[in-house]
Amino acid sequence: MPKQVDHQERRQQIAAAVCRLAATHGLEGVSLRHVAAEAGVSMGRVQHYFKTKDEMLLFTFGTISEGIEHRVTQAVSALPQPPDARSLVRALLVEMMPIGDHAKAEMPMWIAFFARAVVEPQLAELLRHGTRSLHGFVAEQIGNARPTSDLTSIDADREADILLSLTDGLMMRLMVGGIDPETALAALDHQLDRAFGA
């Protein structure tokens, strides 16, 4: 019987090689040839799945995004069920910061993709779509959690913007050692309390 080929597994193998190369050399150090060597496969195999570097990077970006979603799902599952809105948003935002081992490993790649999105329209559109979805979710949770009497004094969209901008800033500061995880989490909790009226 002919051997069954798991094409998704092979794509994942190539994406993992992209991540390893980018972690040490940045995205500019990633080429189809270098990825083939890193993955231990032929150049032809890489080109069979990805015709261009951008196609390969888009797939890798999707793989990283799925990993983050998986960690968020696990973090939410570990909360007392059903989780309250503040706990739900906190679990999501904490997983976006380089605190756990997996997040620390992925974050340099995530930042590199943000930088590349400035000149890569397809990647920029993916990031915009993800950001809009995330903003909408956080704003909805804030709006649902606040008493009706508070809604005149709270702008859920603005609070979501502040929380996400704070998380982005904390992520960058954590990456370069400008803040320690305990201080970052305290800052996040302070803003969560403000947004959710705790």
Side-chain angles (χ1 to χ4, degrees):
M1 252 181 99
K3 184 180 177 183
Q4 292 293 318
V5 176
D6 188 335
H7 295 291
Q8 184 64 11
E9 184 180 331
R10 287 188 173 178
R11 287 188 182 93
Q12 295 288 355
Q13 177 189 7
I14 292 168
V18 171
C19 290
R20 290 193 301 273
L21 281 173
T24 54
H25 304 292
L27 289 182
E28 63 277 4
V30 173
S31 69
L32 296 176
R33 182 180 297 103
H34 291 142
V35 169
E38 178 66 27
V41 299
S42 68
M43 178 77 166
R45 177 171 291 179
V46 173
Q47 289 177 314
H48 174 74
Y49 293 110
F50 306 106
K51 303 302 181 199
T52 66
K53 174 178 174 174
D54 282 332
E55 194 177 307
M56 183 173 63
L57 291 178
L58 285 171
F59 179 83
T60 303
F61 176 80
T63 299
I64 293 171
S65 299
E66 287 170 8
I68 293 171
E69 288 175 15
H70 179 69
R71 288 202 314 275
V72 168
T73 300
Q74 287 183 316
V76 169
S77 297
L79 296 171
Q81 298 296 317
D84 61 87
R86 184 193 182 282
S87 297
L88 194 59
V89 171
R90 186 184 193 276
L92 170 64
L93 298 182
V94 168
E95 287 303 327
M96 291 173 58
M97 295 193 290
I99 293 175
D101 289 340
H102 286 295
K104 284 179 185 175
E106 288 172 353
M107 210 49 62
M109 278 292 295
W110 193 253
I111 292 169
F113 275 115
F114 265 89
R116 187 168 179 83
V118 175
V119 295
E120 188 3 74
Q122 270 188 290
L123 185 55
E125 180 52 36
L126 281 175
L127 285 168
R128 280 194 298 273
H129 174 73
T131 301
R132 285 192 296 265
S133 297
L134 182 60
H135 176 274
F137 176 79
V138 173
E140 181 182 24
Q141 295 304 312
I142 293 169
N144 290 343
R146 298 294 294 238
T148 305
S149 58
D150 280 2
L151 294 182
T152 54
S153 61
I154 190 81
D155 182 333
D157 283 324
R158 180 173 295 163
E159 293 301 325
D161 280 332
I162 292 169
L163 270 170
L164 293 174
S165 297
L166 172 66
T167 303
D168 286 342
L170 292 172
M171 175 183 74
M172 298 297 288
R173 292 185 67 197
L174 283 162
M175 282 296 300
V176 299
I179 192 170
D180 61 78
E182 293 75 18
T183 305
L185 290 173
L188 177 63
D189 282 328
H190 175 82
Q191 191 59 36
L192 283 166
D193 286 346
R194 180 183 181 281
F196 283 91

